[in-house]
């Protein structure tokens, strides 16, 4: 991993710390299990007394649950999402992982690589506000390092940039048009669904990017909403 992503002060601490003293701050450890069927696993652990406390949703699909029993947190994640979102190969790596939270995923990964870990997955952003990376301990067991990202400022330019990215991806794939839904765009940039969403702004940007040949496939009754869908010709 390039050293430019890690503050100099952290690199110095990582290389000069005393044996047995950790200069990084890790907290809130948990175990994640990679499973074939998320709902079957959830029901199983609920029958053991675990209670659901969190669900992660990506593109409308539930991909991860967190359950708690007597203060112990257990995560269950689909093997499919683990492969597609994080580039891991559950079953090849292991059937479970240790998770620890930190303040800076990139710096923590760098620190661990200098102290006997092996990289599994480069630090990357996912969901609306998280950044994760994976390493293997000396015995090959996977460890997820995760932190919360700084809150992104979402404005008209944010939506415009994302729509342009979607168009360029479709154009590169040789498509003549692309159908874009406001709810999908807002979910991709973050902040939706939430009570502080900027859906009206997202829709305004979508309308402003229309050319005379483009088609509004569906508009909500008031013209602005998550279901707004426009076909843009490329």
């Amino acid at each position: 991993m390039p050293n430019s992503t890690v503050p100099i002060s952290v690199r110095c601490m990582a290389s000069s710390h005393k044996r047995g003293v950790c200069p990084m701050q890790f907290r809130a450890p948990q175990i994640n299990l990679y499973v074939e069927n998320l709902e079957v696993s959830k029901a199983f652990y609920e029958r053991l007394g675990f209670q659901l406390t969190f669900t992660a949703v990506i593109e409308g699909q539930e991909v991860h649950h967190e359950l708690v029993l007597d203060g112990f947190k257990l995560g269950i994640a689909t093997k499919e999402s683990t492969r597609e979102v994080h580039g891991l190969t559950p079953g090849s790596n292991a059937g479970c992982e240790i998770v620890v939270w930190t303040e800076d995923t990139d710096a923590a990964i760098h620190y661990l690589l200098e102290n006997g870990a092996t990289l599994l997955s480069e630090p990357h952003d996912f969901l609306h506000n998280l950044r994760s990376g994976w390493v293997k301990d000396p015995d090959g067991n996977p460890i997820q390092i995760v932190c919360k990202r700084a809150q992104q400022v979402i404005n008209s330019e944010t939506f415009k940039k994302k729509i342009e990215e979607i168009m360029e991806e479709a154009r590169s794939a040789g498509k003549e048009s692309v159908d874009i839904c406001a709810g999908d765009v807002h979910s991709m940039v973050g902040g939706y669904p939430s009570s502080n969403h900027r859906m009206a702004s997202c829709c305004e940007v979508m309308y402003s990017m229309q050319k005379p040949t483009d088609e509004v496939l569906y508009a909500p009754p008031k013209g602005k909403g998550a279901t707004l869908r426009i076909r843009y010709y490329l």
Side-chain angles (χ1 to χ4, degrees):
M1 183 182 302
N3 285 345
S4 60
T5 63
V6 183
I8 292 176
S9 59
V10 173
R11 296 203 298 271
C12 291
M13 285 193 298
S15 60
S16 63
H17 75 282
K18 296 179 181 179
R19 181 178 296 274
V21 178
C22 178
M24 299 297 301
Q25 291 187 349
F26 297 103
R27 65 185 187 280
Q30 73 180 62
I31 294 291
N32 274 358
L33 302 179
Y34 306 142
V35 302
E36 294 288 353
N37 188 309
L38 193 66
E39 292 311 304
V40 169
S41 295
K42 171 176 169 287
F44 173 80
Y45 283 101
E46 285 180 329
R47 285 194 292 271
L48 295 181
F50 282 82
Q51 294 187 339
L52 181 68
T53 59
F54 172 76
T55 297
V57 178
I58 296 179
E59 296 182 354
Q61 297 293 319
E62 295 182 349
V63 298
H64 176 92
H65 292 312
E66 289 181 1
L67 305 99
V68 173
L69 176 64
D70 288 341
F72 173 75
K73 183 182 291 185
L74 173 69
I76 52 176
T78 63
K79 291 184 177 181
E80 180 181 9
S81 69
T82 304
R83 285 189 293 266
E84 294 181 355
V85 178
H86 304 300
L88 300 176
T89 53
S92 172
N93 295 328
C96 67
E97 67 183 11
I98 295 173
V99 180
V100 289
W101 288 76
T102 186
E103 298 299 323
D104 185 332
T105 294
D106 294 74
I109 292 286
H110 181 86
Y111 164 77
L112 292 170
L113 293 179
E114 287 194 341
N115 287 275
T118 303
L119 186 66
L120 269 178
S121 178
E122 292 275 2
H124 55 277
D125 297 340
F126 77 108
L127 295 181
H128 300 322
N129 64 340
L130 300 181
R131 185 165 178 80
S132 285
W134 273 259
V135 298
K136 290 191 294 186
D137 71 10
D139 293 301
N141 299 303
I143 303 172
Q144 179 187 171
I145 309 299
V146 60
C147 73
K148 288 189 175 181
R149 305 196 308 270
Q151 188 65 39
Q152 179 185 12
V153 176
I154 298 175
N155 52 32
S156 297
E157 190 60 32
T158 310
F159 294 124
K160 181 180 179 182
K161 182 178 179 181
K162 176 53 65 176
I163 293 169
E164 289 174 342
E165 289 176 359
I166 295 171
M167 289 180 173
E168 181 56 35
E169 183 177 337
R171 191 177 291 111
S172 298
K175 296 181 179 180
E176 295 182 353
S177 66
V178 60
D179 297 349
I180 297 179
C181 175
D184 292 340
V185 173
H186 205 328
S187 294
M188 290 177 188
V189 303
Y192 181 81
S194 78
S195 59
N196 298 318
H197 66 76
R198 302 290 305 279
M199 189 59 69
S201 176
C202 179
C203 293
E204 289 170 1
V205 171
M206 287 181 62
Y207 283 126
S208 72
M209 296 180 71
Q210 269 190 277
K211 301 186 298 296
T213 54
D214 296 335
E215 303 176 57
V216 176
L217 300 180
Y218 180 82
K222 294 184 178 180
K224 298 175 184 177
T227 54
L228 173 64
R229 185 177 296 273
I230 298 177
R231 176 168 295 165
Y232 297 92
Y233 289 93
L234 307 173

